[in-house]
Amino acid sequence: MNEVAVVGFAQGHNVRRSEGTTNGVEMLVPLLAEVFEQTSLSKEDIGFWCSGSSDYLAGRAFSFIAAVDALGAFPPIHESHVEMDAAWALYEAWLKIRTGEVDTALVYGFGKSSAGQLRRVLALQLDPYLVAPLWPDSISIAGIQARMGIEAGLWSEREMAEVAARSLADARENPLAQRSGAEDAATLLERPMFADPLRKHDIAPVTDGAAVLVLAAADRAAELADRPAVITGIEHRVDSPTLGARELTRSPSTEAAGAAAGGDGVQLAELHAPFTHQEIILRNALGLGENVRVNPSGGVLAGNPMFAAGLARIGEAAGQILLGNADRVLAHATSGPALQQNLVAVLEGRD
Amino acid sequence: MTASTNPVPAAQPPLSAPLEVGFDYTRSLGPVLGRFVDGLRERRIEGARGSDGRVHVPPVEYDPVTARPLTEFVPVAEVGTVVSWSWIAEPLAGQPLARPFAWALIRLDGADTAMLHAIDVPGPEHLRTGMRVRVRWAAEPVGHIRDIACFVPEDTRHEPGPLPAPPPVAERADGEPVGTVITPIHLRYQHSASPEESRYLRALEQGRLLGQRCPECRKVYIPPRGACPTDGVPTTEEVELPDTGIVTTFCIVNVPFLGQRIKPPYVAAYILLDGADIAFLHLVLGCAAEEVRMGMRVRAAWKPREQWWTTLENIEYFEPTGEPDAAYESFAHHL
């Protein structure tokens, strides 16, 4: 079967609040132009289009249909959508190329989290019978998860603050980041609790944003990029939706996906960890050693555009190969409460 | 054609307004969850025993190990142990308590898994993992997870503070088991129109019909698009359109429905304004429904000026002009 490579990637500025519509058209139009310029492709060259977004985030039904205007979808195109982070849209596009049905695909994700009250909207990802009717918010659930690890001695508030300090420091080099900073962990720990045991630095910000990525079959990819990032493994797994039955201090689905994707020997990893302690869970689940650079982009603690942030992790990791900064990288995306669903991709440069 | 073209003046911020979305989700329960909420109505809690002997509370319908349906129910206590918790200083709409409280995973005595719920204590200093808590029942259980109003420390003797109203109950015969639960979902958004839509809506407030032209394919869209669906670029050049056009296609509405504002039969039609390349849906009144036809020339019937605002409802309906019909070939490619 065809190998598949990332040949182009663009993302919008991560911002706390945008003036745009919830269908993302304003943000997507310039990003599409950017990837077409990177790859010398035009919309007529794209074999398959796939997106990730959410009607609950937009507050209206079939909101992704309006986004299709941004593509210039006439004559009619071959298009699909997932109501998940666009990393899962990438998986669908990867399959289309693997099976030989198409040899190029464009994947995009977008979300205007600021339109509603994000942590309340996310309660609707929970079991609709016995959990969602209580409206437990995403931050509270992550707080329960964080405390379990703290009290079991698996991580400390200080280690969580160190994740935040490193991410915000790295984000200073990322012009698209929503927030960045130079404070050390000790300073961050002096801040008050926001949702005990979480402080604000432990929580990814509410972010509006979008990301666009172009995939191509490996033989085609060589024409489109100097150094395509070949996806050597990609897997996604899911843990139980029943929070009280899960081992919340571990991520068995990430462990399984990471093992199946084959992450040995990666130089850097972009991890989708919307809470500081989740980065620690993910590092352990993926067996990433001290020598693996994590989230040089600043990660989602520096900006977390819902439904685009997971795709952006793959784009950021692939970008390190496209730019010649790394040879073998890992990218991770998550969806659902407390790391319920996880996708791992391993990418390699081939000179 | 009377369409006139103007450059787009300096941008105003897009129009934006609060939007509240609400829906009462009605869900069938099935034998496992139905039995669980039936128990809650009688202030008892039952779990389901899995193939490995573990008791799941709340019950799960299928065994997490073997995926077989679970059928053995096990009563458990209404007291239990806090497994982990987090503090919510500013409760959100719809949550079990309107004052600061803790979310917790609680393992009831006799259960092997923990359930997520709220604990009512004055502050986080009153909580610790491992502490014992018990159910505070709703005043009038109805057969819903919210019959458990919250948990309180086991030794709490008084039960202070008001509780939220119970959820709505699906209709059922007296004494019948609970087959359905209703969960109202209400979400608030700030909805924003695109810059192009905002210009269109502001023009409507002045009684003008504003389209915009795609800079590449030259098609005129009304309402204007955030991006031309053919070319993927925002429409830019402003085009003021007349309030006359033709019916491209239509249907006669004979069916009454909730919220209907006109007595059937009446005509809903696609109106293609003169100079536009896309039709929009509106009403055709002012003649008998059976007289409406494809290609019929129509003109807008505007509401009184003092009722205009940023909406196409400023046009109450379209009515026949009496001019000769447009030839089918002239609008065939707009169908």
Side-chain angles (χ1 to χ4, degrees), chain A residues 18-23 25-26 29 32 43-44 55-60 68-75 112 114-117 119-121 124 126-137 139-148 151 194-197 242-245 248, chain B residues 13-14 19 21 25 27-29 33 36-37 54 56 58-60 83-90 92-96 103-105 113-117 124 129 144-146 181 183-195 197 225-234:
Chain A
S18 57
E19 275 196 340
T21 56
T22 52
N23 61 38
V25 166
E26 301 91 330
V29 165
L32 292 161
K43 66 172 176 135
E44 287 76 19
D55 280 356
Y56 277 106
L57 209 65
R60 51 181 175 161
V68 171
D69 271 6
L71 313 180
F74 189 87
K112 184 175 175 176
S114 69
Q117 191 172 15
R119 60 189 171 127
R120 200 164 169 272
V121 170
L124 300 178
L126 298 160
D127 156 48
Y129 290 94
L130 304 178
V131 185
L134 304 171
W135 292 94
D137 57 289
I139 293 175
S140 296
I141 288 171
I144 287 173
Q145 183 182 37
R147 183 181 307 281
M148 279 179 147
E151 293 184 347
F194 176 71
D196 192 339
T242 309
L243 286 166
L248 288 174
Chain B
L19 170 70
V21 178
Y25 279 85
R27 298 182 191 276
S28 307
L29 285 158
L33 300 179
F36 177 70
V37 299
R54 290 193 303 159
H56 300 271
V60 292
V83 174
S84 184
W85 57 276
S86 64
W87 187 251
I88 181 144
E90 291 175 24
L92 306 176
Q95 293 185 335
W103 283 110
L105 284 172
T113 61
M115 69 184 297
L116 185 71
H117 219 297
T129 298
H144 195 279
I145 186 63
R146 304 204 71 138
V181 288
T183 304
I185 300 288
H186 285 270
L187 296 168
R188 292 186 64 81
Y189 297 87
Q190 187 69 21
H191 180 73
S192 298
S194 71
E197 287 165 338
R225 319 283 292 212
C228 170
T230 301
D231 298 296
V233 296

Side-chain angles (χ1 to χ4, degrees), chain A residues 11 18 35 63 111-112 138 152 158 163 167 188 217 231 256 265 267 280 285 297:
Chain A
Q11 63 174 318
S18 57
V35 293
S63 57
K112 184 175 175 176
S138 51
R158 179 171 193 91
V163 169
S167 299
L188 293 176
I231 299 172
Q267 294 154 315
I280 299 167
S297 66

Side-chain angles (χ1 to χ4, degrees), chain A residues 156-192:
Chain A
S156 63
E157 288 177 34
R158 179 171 193 91
E159 285 167 306
M160 289 160 61
E162 282 165 358
V163 169
R166 194 208 70 234
S167 299
L168 295 175
D170 283 340
R172 287 182 295 173
E173 303 298 315
N174 177 356
L176 301 176
Q178 179 179 347
R179 63 182 190 186
S180 59
E183 288 152 315
D184 61 11
T187 311
L188 293 176
L189 283 171
E190 288 167 15
R191 303 268 165 79

